[in-house]
Amino acid sequence: MRIGIFLCECGPNISEVIDLNSLQSFAAALPGVVMVEKYPLYCSPDGQEKVVQGIRDNRLERVVFAGCSPREHEETFRRVLTRAGLNPYLLQIVNLREQCAWVASDPARTGVKARALLRAAVRRVEFHLPLEQKEIPAVPDVLVLGAGVAGLQTARLLAAKGRKVTLVEKQPSIGGKVVLFEEVFPGLECASCLLEPWMDEVLHRENLEVMTLSTLEEVKGSLGNFIVKIKKQPRFIDETKCLGCAACYDPCTVEVPNEYEGGKSRRKAVFVPYVGSLPNIPSIDRKNCLHFRGQECNLCREVCPFGAIDFSQKEEIVERRVGAIVLATGYSLWDCRKMPELGYGREDILTGFDLERLNSATGPTGGQIRCADGRAPGSVVFILCVGSRDPEHRSYCSKVCCLYSLKQIHSLLKKLPEATIHVVFRDWCLPGKSGQELRDGFNNEKRVVWHRLEGMKGIRVEGGNRQIKVAWPGPDRTGSVVPADLVILAPALEPPAGLPELARMLNLKLKPDGYMQEESEKLAPGATTLKGVYLAGCVQGPKDMQESAQQGAAAAGLIFSGLIPGERLRLEPASALVAEERCGGCRLCISLCPYRALSFSPEKGVTVVDEALCQGCGVCAATCPSGAAEARQFTSRQIAAELEELAGD
Amino acid sequence: MTEFEPKIIGFLCNFCSYAAADGAGSQRLHLPEGFRVVRVMCSGRVEPAWVLQALREGADGVVILGCHPGDCHYREGNFQARKRFQILSRLLSDLGVEKERVRLVWVSATEAARLEKVLQEVRADLKLLGPFTRKGLKAGQRKEAEHGGKTTGCPRD
């Protein structure tokens, strides 16, 4: 074995603390060492050239570089080895600067330490193995889950640049929750007007496939090579034939409360969720449709001029190959029934979301704000922070409730010229450049009465039948009571239903608050710990429309930079390997692998490694009871060799 | 060399604790002169056998340093490290190795100052205990070897 050592002075950084001349003569006598050189700055272009020459002139088989931390220049010197014709992994770095010279306090002992570190590296490098940089082909196509603001944004941006996108939405229509809102803060724009161009765009692109009534069923593979199975519920309407003419609604004799309007309006068994929902194709609700309840009803089918009604449609499993997956599954609203004292579920006690539908020109009341019995309310009470910032429920601030409640108050003042509006709140959360304006707009408004409480505990909504009262205890135990014709609760946003199952499917983790864990909350909020899986919108935490649009665009950007058509993916060379002849097939390692990179091969009776998934952590190697699993570049033999010398004098 | 300077072998994970040790250098903190580092990608890679080998080869103490729970670059390698450490601790206690000699500590990449403090504490403890004599460990090595398992003091070839 021909080992060469390069001692870097790093200017004065190392040479002034450690006697490199004596280290050089010590190193020259180590077994296998055929060359020891020192130089003022090996990372400089001249220095790198010296290393290339040294390797070539001395026909080196292994290289030890002693200088700065491997975190600083390991990659640099690996490239230098490659340039000299040597496998880049036949290098070991001695951290002589950060972890020796720079932390030194006693020159005599520092010299001893430097010798031990060098000896250990020389011993270790002998056992280094040449590793191969493997590459695999990658699919540039993308699966986007969820067609709200974030998902629409990601999908349209990717598709605009020619990526093939599959946009999967669980609901019969796209646009998410926000498309149902009449106005959005802070500018009070109409949400559906904002979103409609985007929705049209995604529905009319050839390279963008929209799958409604669909959910993710199974995921296999890794970045660049996922195989996903999507479960598509039958619509019982042939999407290729239906023009959305609405001829089928009238003949249908079934009428049920419309769950998409919070039950405030009624719909048929063949229906669209709300006026203007897209795609403009109805679906048939199997639970209520008479045809599916064993009756001889074919009224909608008889009337359809295009023969689009198809009762024979079945649930389908569709398979797609994609390179990346974007999770944009949105949020759910916290169930206000968990605080029975607030009376949600009784008449005239609504959530902010219910109010959005009342307020919508296309909603059940045509945009009029009315009590259940048709009266115009004279007193409306808003209660904020319902379930939010409450350790017993959702401990975080839901971020959007203050803003949307203020927006709704603006709207109600306009629509109800006689009404008084009471606002029961704790603090204002109005960050950003336009949030405060919404609040300041009420500064001279006599019809809004603010009730600022110390906390939101003890609020009660009592009575009913035109006699609702909202009461809360005061700091002096007196408390207050206000009459209400309409009560509007601002519930917390919470993680979307089904997120734990989705996380399990993808082998991802949820944070304690229940939202998806990002790779880094600050620096990589749109990435997950699984390469190729990205987050956009409220699946990562409460967000407003603007932030969701931004994160949707960010996810598209991450995919544009990380998954380039025609570019092959470089795999981690220092991945794990399992020696088949030593593997007993106990599968301990499989259960511990955080990346599902290991699987059991029944034919061979041993564990096999998927190098596309392995990230090289080495947990399997440390776990293997028979020594079959190994971490390349951190093998047991290499570490043992290092330890043989490291503790010596 | 007159005064006893304990030798401390550290197994440091690349993403947190090794970065902290580099940070200690950048900030010119003083780490014990007997502190010598084996870099691993993850604390979950550390085999209990390595700890035993380090003691056998002449270390007076061993530290395994990993990312704080929840911060592991590889998701949960540090939890595996903790499980193994718990088992190893029982073994070491059976072998008569003082618990101060082998420690598992979480150190994030920014905690260079904390790393210095932890190591100075370890050093102070080891100075009180004195050099590791290895008698118990050799007995343990024989005992474990009978089981033929990997978690013995014998590095495999």
PDB file of all heavy atoms in Angstrom, chain A residues 284-313:
ATOM      1  N   ILE A 284     -72.819  12.156  -9.281  1.00  0.00           N
ATOM      2  CA  ILE A 284     -74.000  11.531  -8.686  1.00  0.00           C
ATOM      3  C   ILE A 284     -73.605  10.956  -7.332  1.00  0.00           C
ATOM      4  O   ILE A 284     -72.596  10.266  -7.195  1.00  0.00           O
ATOM      5  CB  ILE A 284     -74.577  10.450  -9.612  1.00  0.00           C
ATOM      6  CG1 ILE A 284     -75.157  11.131 -10.861  1.00  0.00           C
ATOM      7  CG2 ILE A 284     -75.648   9.636  -8.894  1.00  0.00           C
ATOM      8  CD1 ILE A 284     -75.644  10.186 -11.924  1.00  0.00           C
ATOM      9  N   ASP A 285     -74.411  11.310  -6.357  1.00  0.00           N
ATOM     10  CA  ASP A 285     -74.146  10.905  -4.986  1.00  0.00           C
ATOM     11  C   ASP A 285     -74.802   9.551  -4.768  1.00  0.00           C
ATOM     12  O   ASP A 285     -76.014   9.432  -4.643  1.00  0.00           O
ATOM     13  CB  ASP A 285     -74.712  12.043  -4.113  1.00  0.00           C
ATOM     14  CG  ASP A 285     -75.066  11.624  -2.718  1.00  0.00           C
ATOM     15  OD1 ASP A 285     -74.546  10.595  -2.269  1.00  0.00           O
ATOM     16  OD2 ASP A 285     -75.848  12.358  -2.092  1.00  0.00           O
ATOM     17  N   ARG A 286     -73.965   8.546  -4.736  1.00  0.00           N
ATOM     18  CA  ARG A 286     -74.429   7.165  -4.703  1.00  0.00           C
ATOM     19  C   ARG A 286     -75.299   6.878  -3.474  1.00  0.00           C
ATOM     20  O   ARG A 286     -76.213   6.068  -3.510  1.00  0.00           O
ATOM     21  CB  ARG A 286     -73.197   6.249  -4.698  1.00  0.00           C
ATOM     22  CG  ARG A 286     -73.487   4.768  -4.632  1.00  0.00           C
ATOM     23  CD  ARG A 286     -72.305   4.021  -4.026  1.00  0.00           C
ATOM     24  NE  ARG A 286     -71.157   3.962  -4.927  1.00  0.00           N
ATOM     25  CZ  ARG A 286     -70.829   2.847  -5.601  1.00  0.00           C
ATOM     26  NH1 ARG A 286     -71.543   1.773  -5.493  1.00  0.00           N
ATOM     27  NH2 ARG A 286     -69.779   2.848  -6.373  1.00  0.00           N
ATOM     28  N   LYS A 287     -75.015   7.575  -2.391  1.00  0.00           N
ATOM     29  CA  LYS A 287     -75.728   7.301  -1.135  1.00  0.00           C
ATOM     30  C   LYS A 287     -77.212   7.685  -1.250  1.00  0.00           C
ATOM     31  O   LYS A 287     -78.082   7.022  -0.716  1.00  0.00           O
ATOM     32  CB  LYS A 287     -75.079   8.101  -0.007  1.00  0.00           C
ATOM     33  CG  LYS A 287     -75.288   7.478   1.366  1.00  0.00           C
ATOM     34  CD  LYS A 287     -74.504   8.240   2.424  1.00  0.00           C
ATOM     35  CE  LYS A 287     -75.403   9.226   3.148  1.00  0.00           C
ATOM     36  NZ  LYS A 287     -74.773  10.429   3.619  1.00  0.00           N
ATOM     37  N   ASN A 288     -77.490   8.774  -1.962  1.00  0.00           N
ATOM     38  CA  ASN A 288     -78.870   9.271  -2.013  1.00  0.00           C
ATOM     39  C   ASN A 288     -79.579   8.994  -3.330  1.00  0.00           C
ATOM     40  O   ASN A 288     -80.809   9.094  -3.410  1.00  0.00           O
ATOM     41  CB  ASN A 288     -78.882  10.774  -1.739  1.00  0.00           C
ATOM     42  CG  ASN A 288     -78.458  11.080  -0.308  1.00  0.00           C
ATOM     43  OD1 ASN A 288     -79.085  10.638   0.640  1.00  0.00           O
ATOM     44  ND2 ASN A 288     -77.342  11.792  -0.157  1.00  0.00           N
ATOM     45  N   CYS A 289     -78.838   8.671  -4.375  1.00  0.00           N
ATOM     46  CA  CYS A 289     -79.439   8.467  -5.697  1.00  0.00           C
ATOM     47  C   CYS A 289     -80.369   7.248  -5.672  1.00  0.00           C
ATOM     48  O   CYS A 289     -80.007   6.173  -5.201  1.00  0.00           O
ATOM     49  CB  CYS A 289     -78.335   8.261  -6.731  1.00  0.00           C
ATOM     50  SG  CYS A 289     -78.958   7.774  -8.340  1.00  0.00           S
ATOM     51  N   LEU A 290     -81.582   7.424  -6.176  1.00  0.00           N
ATOM     52  CA  LEU A 290     -82.570   6.346  -6.130  1.00  0.00           C
ATOM     53  C   LEU A 290     -82.124   5.138  -6.939  1.00  0.00           C
ATOM     54  O   LEU A 290     -82.361   3.995  -6.554  1.00  0.00           O
ATOM     55  CB  LEU A 290     -83.928   6.855  -6.654  1.00  0.00           C
ATOM     56  CG  LEU A 290     -84.552   8.005  -5.853  1.00  0.00           C
ATOM     57  CD1 LEU A 290     -85.877   8.418  -6.490  1.00  0.00           C
ATOM     58  CD2 LEU A 290     -84.757   7.608  -4.396  1.00  0.00           C
ATOM     59  N   HIS A 291     -81.435   5.410  -8.066  1.00  0.00           N
ATOM     60  CA  HIS A 291     -80.958   4.324  -8.906  1.00  0.00           C
ATOM     61  C   HIS A 291     -80.091   3.353  -8.096  1.00  0.00           C
ATOM     62  O   HIS A 291     -80.187   2.141  -8.234  1.00  0.00           O
ATOM     63  CB  HIS A 291     -80.144   4.889 -10.080  1.00  0.00           C
ATOM     64  CG  HIS A 291     -79.687   3.840 -11.035  1.00  0.00           C
ATOM     65  ND1 HIS A 291     -80.395   3.495 -12.163  1.00  0.00           N
ATOM     66  CD2 HIS A 291     -78.593   3.037 -11.027  1.00  0.00           C
ATOM     67  CE1 HIS A 291     -79.754   2.531 -12.798  1.00  0.00           C
ATOM     68  NE2 HIS A 291     -78.649   2.248 -12.130  1.00  0.00           N
ATOM     69  N   PHE A 292     -79.247   3.936  -7.226  1.00  0.00           N
ATOM     70  CA  PHE A 292     -78.369   3.096  -6.427  1.00  0.00           C
ATOM     71  C   PHE A 292     -79.054   2.561  -5.184  1.00  0.00           C
ATOM     72  O   PHE A 292     -78.491   1.775  -4.448  1.00  0.00           O
ATOM     73  CB  PHE A 292     -77.103   3.871  -6.047  1.00  0.00           C
ATOM     74  CG  PHE A 292     -76.187   4.092  -7.221  1.00  0.00           C
ATOM     75  CD1 PHE A 292     -76.071   5.342  -7.810  1.00  0.00           C
ATOM     76  CD2 PHE A 292     -75.472   3.035  -7.747  1.00  0.00           C
ATOM     77  CE1 PHE A 292     -75.245   5.532  -8.897  1.00  0.00           C
ATOM     78  CE2 PHE A 292     -74.636   3.217  -8.839  1.00  0.00           C
ATOM     79  CZ  PHE A 292     -74.525   4.462  -9.413  1.00  0.00           C
ATOM     80  N   ARG A 293     -80.270   3.051  -4.946  1.00  0.00           N
ATOM     81  CA  ARG A 293     -81.011   2.539  -3.787  1.00  0.00           C
ATOM     82  C   ARG A 293     -82.021   1.485  -4.230  1.00  0.00           C
ATOM     83  O   ARG A 293     -83.005   1.213  -3.545  1.00  0.00           O
ATOM     84  CB  ARG A 293     -81.693   3.690  -3.056  1.00  0.00           C
ATOM     85  CG  ARG A 293     -80.675   4.704  -2.563  1.00  0.00           C
ATOM     86  CD  ARG A 293     -81.329   5.819  -1.829  1.00  0.00           C
ATOM     87  NE  ARG A 293     -81.973   5.308  -0.609  1.00  0.00           N
ATOM     88  CZ  ARG A 293     -81.945   5.933   0.553  1.00  0.00           C
ATOM     89  NH1 ARG A 293     -81.326   7.085   0.661  1.00  0.00           N
ATOM     90  NH2 ARG A 293     -82.532   5.427   1.596  1.00  0.00           N
ATOM     91  N   GLY A 294     -81.764   0.936  -5.400  1.00  0.00           N
ATOM     92  CA  GLY A 294     -82.558  -0.212  -5.845  1.00  0.00           C
ATOM     93  C   GLY A 294     -83.844   0.155  -6.568  1.00  0.00           C
ATOM     94  O   GLY A 294     -84.669  -0.699  -6.842  1.00  0.00           O
ATOM     95  N   GLN A 295     -84.018   1.462  -6.827  1.00  0.00           N
ATOM     96  CA  GLN A 295     -85.247   1.827  -7.522  1.00  0.00           C
ATOM     97  C   GLN A 295     -84.999   1.958  -9.031  1.00  0.00           C
ATOM     98  O   GLN A 295     -83.874   2.139  -9.463  1.00  0.00           O
ATOM     99  CB  GLN A 295     -85.807   3.137  -6.951  1.00  0.00           C
ATOM    100  CG  GLN A 295     -86.170   2.985  -5.488  1.00  0.00           C
ATOM    101  CD  GLN A 295     -86.815   4.232  -4.933  1.00  0.00           C
ATOM    102  OE1 GLN A 295     -87.450   4.977  -5.660  1.00  0.00           O
ATOM    103  NE2 GLN A 295     -86.639   4.449  -3.644  1.00  0.00           N
ATOM    104  N   GLU A 296     -86.050   1.905  -9.767  1.00  0.00           N
ATOM    105  CA  GLU A 296     -85.950   1.927 -11.228  1.00  0.00           C
ATOM    106  C   GLU A 296     -85.859   3.354 -11.758  1.00  0.00           C
ATOM    107  O   GLU A 296     -86.551   3.709 -12.692  1.00  0.00           O
ATOM    108  CB  GLU A 296     -87.168   1.217 -11.834  1.00  0.00           C
ATOM    109  CG  GLU A 296     -87.057  -0.295 -11.854  1.00  0.00           C
ATOM    110  CD  GLU A 296     -85.892  -0.804 -12.683  1.00  0.00           C
ATOM    111  OE1 GLU A 296     -85.814  -0.442 -13.875  1.00  0.00           O
ATOM    112  OE2 GLU A 296     -85.039  -1.541 -12.135  1.00  0.00           O
ATOM    113  N   CYS A 297     -85.091   4.225 -11.110  1.00  0.00           N
ATOM    114  CA  CYS A 297     -85.028   5.618 -11.542  1.00  0.00           C
ATOM    115  C   CYS A 297     -83.906   5.815 -12.549  1.00  0.00           C
ATOM    116  O   CYS A 297     -82.758   5.484 -12.275  1.00  0.00           O
ATOM    117  CB  CYS A 297     -84.840   6.549 -10.349  1.00  0.00           C
ATOM    118  SG  CYS A 297     -84.774   8.279 -10.855  1.00  0.00           S
ATOM    119  N   ASN A 298     -84.238   6.342 -13.718  1.00  0.00           N
ATOM    120  CA  ASN A 298     -83.237   6.661 -14.736  1.00  0.00           C
ATOM    121  C   ASN A 298     -83.475   8.057 -15.289  1.00  0.00           C
ATOM    122  O   ASN A 298     -83.089   8.354 -16.412  1.00  0.00           O
ATOM    123  CB  ASN A 298     -83.313   5.649 -15.890  1.00  0.00           C
ATOM    124  CG  ASN A 298     -82.695   4.321 -15.491  1.00  0.00           C
ATOM    125  OD1 ASN A 298     -81.565   4.280 -15.014  1.00  0.00           O
ATOM    126  ND2 ASN A 298     -83.449   3.250 -15.666  1.00  0.00           N
ATOM    127  N   LEU A 299     -84.136   8.917 -14.476  1.00  0.00           N
ATOM    128  CA  LEU A 299     -84.608  10.208 -14.996  1.00  0.00           C
ATOM    129  C   LEU A 299     -83.473  11.049 -15.563  1.00  0.00           C
ATOM    130  O   LEU A 299     -83.595  11.627 -16.640  1.00  0.00           O
ATOM    131  CB  LEU A 299     -85.357  10.969 -13.895  1.00  0.00           C
ATOM    132  CG  LEU A 299     -86.710  10.370 -13.500  1.00  0.00           C
ATOM    133  CD1 LEU A 299     -87.292  11.081 -12.294  1.00  0.00           C
ATOM    134  CD2 LEU A 299     -87.681  10.440 -14.678  1.00  0.00           C
ATOM    135  N   CYS A 300     -82.359  11.113 -14.843  1.00  0.00           N
ATOM    136  CA  CYS A 300     -81.262  11.959 -15.328  1.00  0.00           C
ATOM    137  C   CYS A 300     -80.677  11.374 -16.614  1.00  0.00           C
ATOM    138  O   CYS A 300     -80.345  12.094 -17.544  1.00  0.00           O
ATOM    139  CB  CYS A 300     -80.204  12.153 -14.252  1.00  0.00           C
ATOM    140  SG  CYS A 300     -79.507  10.623 -13.621  1.00  0.00           S
ATOM    141  N   ARG A 301     -80.580  10.065 -16.668  1.00  0.00           N
ATOM    142  CA  ARG A 301     -79.995   9.439 -17.843  1.00  0.00           C
ATOM    143  C   ARG A 301     -80.884   9.680 -19.069  1.00  0.00           C
ATOM    144  O   ARG A 301     -80.391   9.918 -20.168  1.00  0.00           O
ATOM    145  CB  ARG A 301     -79.808   7.939 -17.618  1.00  0.00           C
ATOM    146  CG  ARG A 301     -79.039   7.285 -18.745  1.00  0.00           C
ATOM    147  CD  ARG A 301     -78.433   5.978 -18.359  1.00  0.00           C
ATOM    148  NE  ARG A 301     -79.454   4.979 -18.055  1.00  0.00           N
ATOM    149  CZ  ARG A 301     -79.175   3.758 -17.606  1.00  0.00           C
ATOM    150  NH1 ARG A 301     -77.923   3.407 -17.384  1.00  0.00           N
ATOM    151  NH2 ARG A 301     -80.130   2.904 -17.359  1.00  0.00           N
ATOM    152  N   GLU A 302     -82.198   9.623 -18.836  1.00  0.00           N
ATOM    153  CA  GLU A 302     -83.122   9.819 -19.953  1.00  0.00           C
ATOM    154  C   GLU A 302     -83.032  11.226 -20.518  1.00  0.00           C
ATOM    155  O   GLU A 302     -83.148  11.445 -21.726  1.00  0.00           O
ATOM    156  CB  GLU A 302     -84.561   9.534 -19.499  1.00  0.00           C
ATOM    157  CG  GLU A 302     -84.829   8.044 -19.399  1.00  0.00           C
ATOM    158  CD  GLU A 302     -86.008   7.735 -18.476  1.00  0.00           C
ATOM    159  OE1 GLU A 302     -86.796   8.640 -18.177  1.00  0.00           O
ATOM    160  OE2 GLU A 302     -86.109   6.566 -18.051  1.00  0.00           O
ATOM    161  N   VAL A 303     -82.778  12.186 -19.631  1.00  0.00           N
ATOM    162  CA  VAL A 303     -82.827  13.575 -20.079  1.00  0.00           C
ATOM    163  C   VAL A 303     -81.484  14.067 -20.644  1.00  0.00           C
ATOM    164  O   VAL A 303     -81.438  15.032 -21.401  1.00  0.00           O
ATOM    165  CB  VAL A 303     -83.345  14.469 -18.924  1.00  0.00           C
ATOM    166  CG1 VAL A 303     -82.234  14.797 -17.960  1.00  0.00           C
ATOM    167  CG2 VAL A 303     -83.999  15.721 -19.465  1.00  0.00           C
ATOM    168  N   CYS A 304     -80.398  13.418 -20.309  1.00  0.00           N
ATOM    169  CA  CYS A 304     -79.082  13.912 -20.742  1.00  0.00           C
ATOM    170  C   CYS A 304     -78.959  13.845 -22.260  1.00  0.00           C
ATOM    171  O   CYS A 304     -79.063  12.767 -22.849  1.00  0.00           O
ATOM    172  CB  CYS A 304     -77.963  13.093 -20.106  1.00  0.00           C
ATOM    173  SG  CYS A 304     -76.331  13.621 -20.693  1.00  0.00           S
ATOM    174  N   PRO A 305     -78.730  15.000 -22.926  1.00  0.00           N
ATOM    175  CA  PRO A 305     -78.674  14.987 -24.390  1.00  0.00           C
ATOM    176  C   PRO A 305     -77.389  14.366 -24.931  1.00  0.00           C
ATOM    177  O   PRO A 305     -77.260  14.134 -26.126  1.00  0.00           O
ATOM    178  CB  PRO A 305     -78.748  16.475 -24.763  1.00  0.00           C
ATOM    179  CG  PRO A 305     -78.575  17.255 -23.520  1.00  0.00           C
ATOM    180  CD  PRO A 305     -78.549  16.341 -22.356  1.00  0.00           C
ATOM    181  N   PHE A 306     -76.422  14.131 -24.060  1.00  0.00           N
ATOM    182  CA  PHE A 306     -75.113  13.662 -24.553  1.00  0.00           C
ATOM    183  C   PHE A 306     -74.784  12.239 -24.112  1.00  0.00           C
ATOM    184  O   PHE A 306     -73.686  11.763 -24.338  1.00  0.00           O
ATOM    185  CB  PHE A 306     -74.022  14.621 -24.083  1.00  0.00           C
ATOM    186  CG  PHE A 306     -74.319  16.041 -24.468  1.00  0.00           C
ATOM    187  CD1 PHE A 306     -74.796  16.953 -23.536  1.00  0.00           C
ATOM    188  CD2 PHE A 306     -74.165  16.455 -25.788  1.00  0.00           C
ATOM    189  CE1 PHE A 306     -75.094  18.251 -23.900  1.00  0.00           C
ATOM    190  CE2 PHE A 306     -74.473  17.750 -26.152  1.00  0.00           C
ATOM    191  CZ  PHE A 306     -74.936  18.658 -25.216  1.00  0.00           C
ATOM    192  N   GLY A 307     -75.735  11.608 -23.451  1.00  0.00           N
ATOM    193  CA  GLY A 307     -75.480  10.229 -22.988  1.00  0.00           C
ATOM    194  C   GLY A 307     -74.320  10.138 -22.029  1.00  0.00           C
ATOM    195  O   GLY A 307     -73.555   9.168 -22.047  1.00  0.00           O
ATOM    196  N   ALA A 308     -74.194  11.161 -21.190  1.00  0.00           N
ATOM    197  CA  ALA A 308     -73.024  11.211 -20.316  1.00  0.00           C
ATOM    198  C   ALA A 308     -73.213  10.469 -19.001  1.00  0.00           C
ATOM    199  O   ALA A 308     -72.254  10.148 -18.313  1.00  0.00           O
ATOM    200  CB  ALA A 308     -72.651  12.670 -20.031  1.00  0.00           C
ATOM    201  N   ILE A 309     -74.475  10.197 -18.633  1.00  0.00           N
ATOM    202  CA  ILE A 309     -74.719   9.522 -17.352  1.00  0.00           C
ATOM    203  C   ILE A 309     -74.328   8.048 -17.487  1.00  0.00           C
ATOM    204  O   ILE A 309     -74.773   7.363 -18.411  1.00  0.00           O
ATOM    205  CB  ILE A 309     -76.213   9.629 -16.949  1.00  0.00           C
ATOM    206  CG1 ILE A 309     -76.705  11.071 -17.039  1.00  0.00           C
ATOM    207  CG2 ILE A 309     -76.450   8.973 -15.590  1.00  0.00           C
ATOM    208  CD1 ILE A 309     -76.416  11.959 -15.889  1.00  0.00           C
ATOM    209  N   ASP A 310     -73.500   7.592 -16.596  1.00  0.00           N
ATOM    210  CA  ASP A 310     -72.985   6.225 -16.698  1.00  0.00           C
ATOM    211  C   ASP A 310     -73.003   5.576 -15.314  1.00  0.00           C
ATOM    212  O   ASP A 310     -72.068   5.731 -14.524  1.00  0.00           O
ATOM    213  CB  ASP A 310     -71.558   6.266 -17.272  1.00  0.00           C
ATOM    214  CG  ASP A 310     -70.939   4.892 -17.375  1.00  0.00           C
ATOM    215  OD1 ASP A 310     -71.639   3.894 -17.059  1.00  0.00           O
ATOM    216  OD2 ASP A 310     -69.766   4.791 -17.762  1.00  0.00           O
ATOM    217  N   PHE A 311     -74.071   4.841 -15.028  1.00  0.00           N
ATOM    218  CA  PHE A 311     -74.207   4.224 -13.706  1.00  0.00           C
ATOM    219  C   PHE A 311     -73.245   3.056 -13.512  1.00  0.00           C
ATOM    220  O   PHE A 311     -73.100   2.542 -12.411  1.00  0.00           O
ATOM    221  CB  PHE A 311     -75.647   3.727 -13.495  1.00  0.00           C
ATOM    222  CG  PHE A 311     -76.657   4.839 -13.364  1.00  0.00           C
ATOM    223  CD1 PHE A 311     -77.734   4.945 -14.236  1.00  0.00           C
ATOM    224  CD2 PHE A 311     -76.523   5.778 -12.348  1.00  0.00           C
ATOM    225  CE1 PHE A 311     -78.663   5.958 -14.104  1.00  0.00           C
ATOM    226  CE2 PHE A 311     -77.462   6.799 -12.211  1.00  0.00           C
ATOM    227  CZ  PHE A 311     -78.522   6.897 -13.087  1.00  0.00           C
ATOM    228  N   SER A 312     -72.606   2.642 -14.590  1.00  0.00           N
ATOM    229  CA  SER A 312     -71.751   1.450 -14.472  1.00  0.00           C
ATOM    230  C   SER A 312     -70.322   1.799 -14.048  1.00  0.00           C
ATOM    231  O   SER A 312     -69.496   0.906 -13.868  1.00  0.00           O
ATOM    232  CB  SER A 312     -71.720   0.712 -15.817  1.00  0.00           C
ATOM    233  OG  SER A 312     -70.975   1.473 -16.748  1.00  0.00           O
ATOM    234  N   GLN A 313     -70.015   3.084 -13.895  1.00  0.00           N
ATOM    235  CA  GLN A 313     -68.638   3.441 -13.499  1.00  0.00           C
ATOM    236  C   GLN A 313     -68.271   2.798 -12.166  1.00  0.00           C
ATOM    237  O   GLN A 313     -69.079   2.725 -11.254  1.00  0.00           O
ATOM    238  CB  GLN A 313     -68.497   4.972 -13.381  1.00  0.00           C
ATOM    239  CG  GLN A 313     -68.327   5.674 -14.712  1.00  0.00           C
ATOM    240  CD  GLN A 313     -68.021   7.156 -14.535  1.00  0.00           C
ATOM    241  OE1 GLN A 313     -67.955   7.666 -13.424  1.00  0.00           O
ATOM    242  NE2 GLN A 313     -67.865   7.844 -15.653  1.00  0.00           N
TER     243      GLN A 313
END
